[in-house]
Amino acid sequence: MTPATPVAVSCGEPAGIGPELAEAAWQHLGGALPFFWIGDPAHLPGRVPHIVLKDPSEASARMAQGLPVWPLDMPGPRVPGQPQAAHAPGVIAAIEEAVRLVQSGAASALCTLPIHKQALAEGAGFAYPGHTEFLAHLAGVDEVVMMLASDRLRVVPVTIHIALSDVPAALTPDLLERRIRITQAALVAQFGIPNPRLAVAGLNPHAGEGGRMGTEDAALIAPVLERLRAEGLDLRGPLPADTMFHDRARAGYDAAICMYHDQALIPIKTLDFDEGVNVTLGLPFIRTSPDHGTAFDIAGKGLANPSSTLAALRMAARLAGAT
């Protein structure tokens, strides 16, 4: 289902591969999926035509003519591979403008291209750990959840960018419950799944094997799942993570809740390395992002693979059309 309004795409770091990905997305999608790019037109490589919009509503009608651009001027040219602190305020403004347009209904969803946090911190005092936390701030919500999704698997890590040795202490019943509730609600509201089935991984090998390989599975994870099942949530687990991700197992659930970063990301990157999409759950709007960074080493060389950006745009449009 096609959304009523186009998808807004924030420019991300100008020195990275974002501008190239925007042009490549237009080449691949043409008029099939209306979107517009928010950024400085001078930062585009210029391999495809672009159309400067006077209003975002023009994007759908003008997609066939070129890449629709909602212009936002920034100081100085783009130098591929060399981030400039002077661009930081503009990069932040592009995100803010994208959120404003989505919240106003001028755009149906937000797809963010990769940012460079160091350049934002140096150039604009950006104090957020990343895109996701900044979007939560702009949306006025206390907590959001990172999902990595593809056509074959959806995974949510309960703990994310922390050392493996710190996971047991960070994994609390309250945190696990909040992650499950936000995921379940988003699957209903955004993915259109009326009764989501969630598979919950154990922390330890063999989900603790009755306490012989750790006590967290029985003492911490199982009671949370039991309590939520009593409310009607469809939860399986805690399950041994090593048997959760083969074809037959994946057919039995709509999303997997994993206890730490690699437990979630290794399976989806093995199955769909180029087409995994970062979806932020818990926002009052749809946000997707390609699952990679700025790739300074290949910026400006015409080597950027647009597969994850295309997947992120398609998922954003699909979710917007379903809500």
Side-chain angles (χ1 to χ4, degrees):
M1 185 182 297
T2 303
T5 54
V7 176
V9 180
S10 59
C11 61
E13 169 54 51
I17 59 174
E20 299 159 58
L21 293 174
E23 291 195 343
W26 178 80
Q27 285 181 299
H28 282 80
L29 296 173
L33 193 164
F35 71 92
F36 60 92
W37 181 79
I38 304 172
D40 191 329
H43 291 167
L44 291 167
R47 299 189 180 100
V48 305
H50 70 263
I51 306 296
V52 175
L53 302 174
K54 295 181 180 178
D55 189 278
S57 63
E58 301 173 345
S60 298
R62 305 196 68 181
M63 278 293 292
Q65 301 169 31
L67 170 65
V69 174
W70 186 241
L72 197 159
D73 293 339
M74 298 188 199
R78 169 192 187 233
V79 181
Q82 298 180 32
Q84 300 172 53
H87 290 154
V91 172
I92 293 170
I95 300 169
E96 293 172 334
E97 177 68 356
V99 170
R100 183 188 71 80
L101 292 170
V102 174
Q103 291 185 316
S104 73
S108 61
L110 168 60
C111 177
T112 60
L113 294 179
I115 59 173
H116 184 58
K117 293 185 286 291
Q118 182 179 343
L120 296 185
E122 292 175 356
F126 189 76
Y128 297 90
H131 245 137
T132 301
E133 294 81 3
F134 185 47
L135 290 169
H137 163 72
L138 294 176
V141 298
D142 294 329
E143 185 172 14
V144 291
V145 168
M146 182 180 79
M147 171 185 279
L148 276 297
S150 72
D151 289 340
R152 292 193 281 183
L153 179 63
R154 303 181 189 101
V155 293
V156 169
V158 176
T159 63
I160 307 178
H161 295 123
I162 61 175
L164 191 58
S165 59
D166 294 334
V167 169
L171 185 64
T172 65
D174 181 59
L175 177 64
L176 176 59
E177 179 176 340
R178 297 198 315 269
R179 293 286 193 262
I180 291 173
R181 288 190 185 278
I182 292 173
T183 302
Q184 195 267 350
L187 289 171
V188 173
Q190 295 187 338
F191 287 81
I193 302 172
N195 300 294
R197 304 163 300 165
L198 299 181
V200 182
L203 173 66
N204 297 295
H206 300 182
E209 203 168 88
R212 289 185 290 276
M213 294 187 186
T215 60
E216 292 89 351
D217 306 277
L220 189 156
I221 300 173
V224 173
L225 304 189
E226 184 177 354
R227 185 170 68 255
L228 295 179
R229 284 191 199 102
E231 296 182 14
L233 276 69
D234 189 343
L235 304 173
R236 297 97 193 268
L239 302 171
D242 63 348
T243 58
M244 282 179 57
F245 300 106
H246 59 83
D247 290 349
R248 191 170 67 254
R250 296 198 315 275
Y253 58 82
D254 299 301
I257 306 291
C258 301
M259 296 303 111
Y260 54 92
H261 181 277
D262 285 9
Q263 192 182 60
L265 271 66
I266 286 173
I268 193 165
K269 290 194 174 186
T270 299
L271 288 168
D272 283 305
F273 185 80
D274 289 326
E275 297 190 5
V277 176
N278 185 340
V279 185
T280 304
L281 311 181
L283 292 171
F285 51 82
I286 293 160
R287 182 263 179 147
T288 67
S289 178
D291 183 28
H292 58 68
T294 52
F296 290 134
D297 57 325
I298 62 169
K301 298 177 182 178
L303 301 175
N305 184 345
S307 296
S308 187
T309 298
L310 294 171
L313 280 165
R314 290 185 179 115
M315 183 166 291
R318 185 162 66 246
L319 295 180
T323 55

